[in-house]
Amino acid sequence: MKKQLFQLGIIGWMTGISALVLFACSSIRHTLYQSGVLDLGIYDQVVYLISQGQPPVSSFLGFHHMGNHAAWAVYPLALLYKIYPSAYWLLAVQAVSLALGAVPTYYLALQAGLKESQAVAMAAVYLLYPLIFNVNLFEFHPEVMAIPIFLGVVLAARLGKIVWFCLGTIFILGCKAVLSLTVTAMGFWLLVFERRRFYGIFALIAGVSWFLIASQVIIPFFSNSEVAAVSRYSYLGDSVIAIASNLLLKPNIILERIFSLKTLEYLALLVAPLIWGFTPKKLTPLVSAIPALVLNILSDKPTQRDLIHQYSLPILPFLIVAVIASLAADKGWLRTRRAIILWALLAFMILGKYGYFWSRYLRTVDNWQATTEAIAQVQTKGAVLTTHSIAPHLSHRPMIQFVDDISGPPFSFTPFDYILLNVRHPDGTRNPEFAANLVNQLKNNQLFQLVYQRDDVYLFVKLSQ
């Protein structure tokens, strides 16, 4: 009993320390103006508006929040903004969610019959998987809340906890519409391979139903367009239904994408931190990961095939479950706690993006103070036009947009009360000349007055009419 309490204490400390480290890292990044509109600014604005009882219409996207992934699980986060509105709440939720995955990982390992030392090692493997640290630095995404729940519902199914399984599955669906595909595949795995009939059927029905409702009804209704990610698969069609049809009717296109060097490289990145623990006969949990894996492989967007962005998150829980199954069968290259953790540490050292803190994150520190002072002078909830990296610090208002040299400046500056630009580090524009030209236009605009200028940071305020 004492040994069990000691091991639980270790898991508690591991989870708590990890959450603190993750939160500190993402907070430092945000404080250094390295976060952006996509997607911290978007979610910070809509959660703030929900907390204020206002329609959660993103001015960045131009439509209601439910048109963006149908992520209703974001709504409860507004309760935190009731205490104090701050984007740091989202970063904290993300850090805690990612760290909490260690807890069900530990219990899944024990339930599978692993030694307590191996169960602790698996919790460490989860926390040290490079994607956990890396995605924590990349803005905020609601699907992070689903990762510990995925592991939790697998545990619930194996322990026969029907209520917890159903509630967890429903919550996962609310984190992002595309997760319904993973839930559907998980249901198939539970039904066919785990022989858990009720759990498999429930997940199958819930996943398919929500996918159809979200993609064909909710998202088009609130956004007045198809699911945004459809554009990444334009070679397969211009709608969810067309893409699904062509996946079946044009296997040659699919096979060309799957059997490619880019796919091989992506798979190598995914499995390298866990390669020691795979055995062919214990890979059935990866059936659940097939939808996310296929979507990432087939996408025209290369960021879906790395360990930096959020797109591979739905794959991770089932990689962990597969490794646990292998260890339980006394398979795998490594089976001792020390060897397992050393491999995990090595993988983290090679693939973790901690080096960003002394490289790219310090590039804009030379006028950090000026940017902070300029932001402090935006004292009302008036409409703001600013840059991609400053926007998440001013997104607590109904109207805010960012400017870039692709879409160009807005047709008119008139809708805005404040225009804040950093010419030295124009981030979203990557074009100092474009940013400088924008400043010159504003200097000659009689509607605006330059009220702050320091270190190439400019704040313009609309004159009262």
Side-chain angles (χ1 to χ4, degrees), residues 180-199:
S180 60
L181 297 176
T182 302
V183 168
T184 301
M186 181 181 71
F188 179 81
W189 168 62
L190 289 172
L191 179 63
V192 176
F193 297 98
E194 291 281 297
R195 308 294 184 188
R196 302 184 186 277
R197 186 176 179 183
F198 171 83
Y199 304 94

Side-chain angles (χ1 to χ4, degrees), residues 108 151 154 158 189 285 316-326:
L108 277 168
L151 291 161
V154 172
R158 289 180 171 177
W189 168 62
L316 177 57
F318 303 101
L319 289 172
I320 295 293
V321 174
V323 172
I324 288 173
S326 180

Side-chain angles (χ1 to χ4, degrees), residues 129 266-276 278 307 333 343 347 351:
Y129 191 83
Y266 175 49
L267 294 176
L269 285 173
L270 281 175
V271 304
L274 301 169
I275 189 69
W276 55 268
F278 290 126
L307 294 187
W333 306 344
W343 185 286
L351 298 173

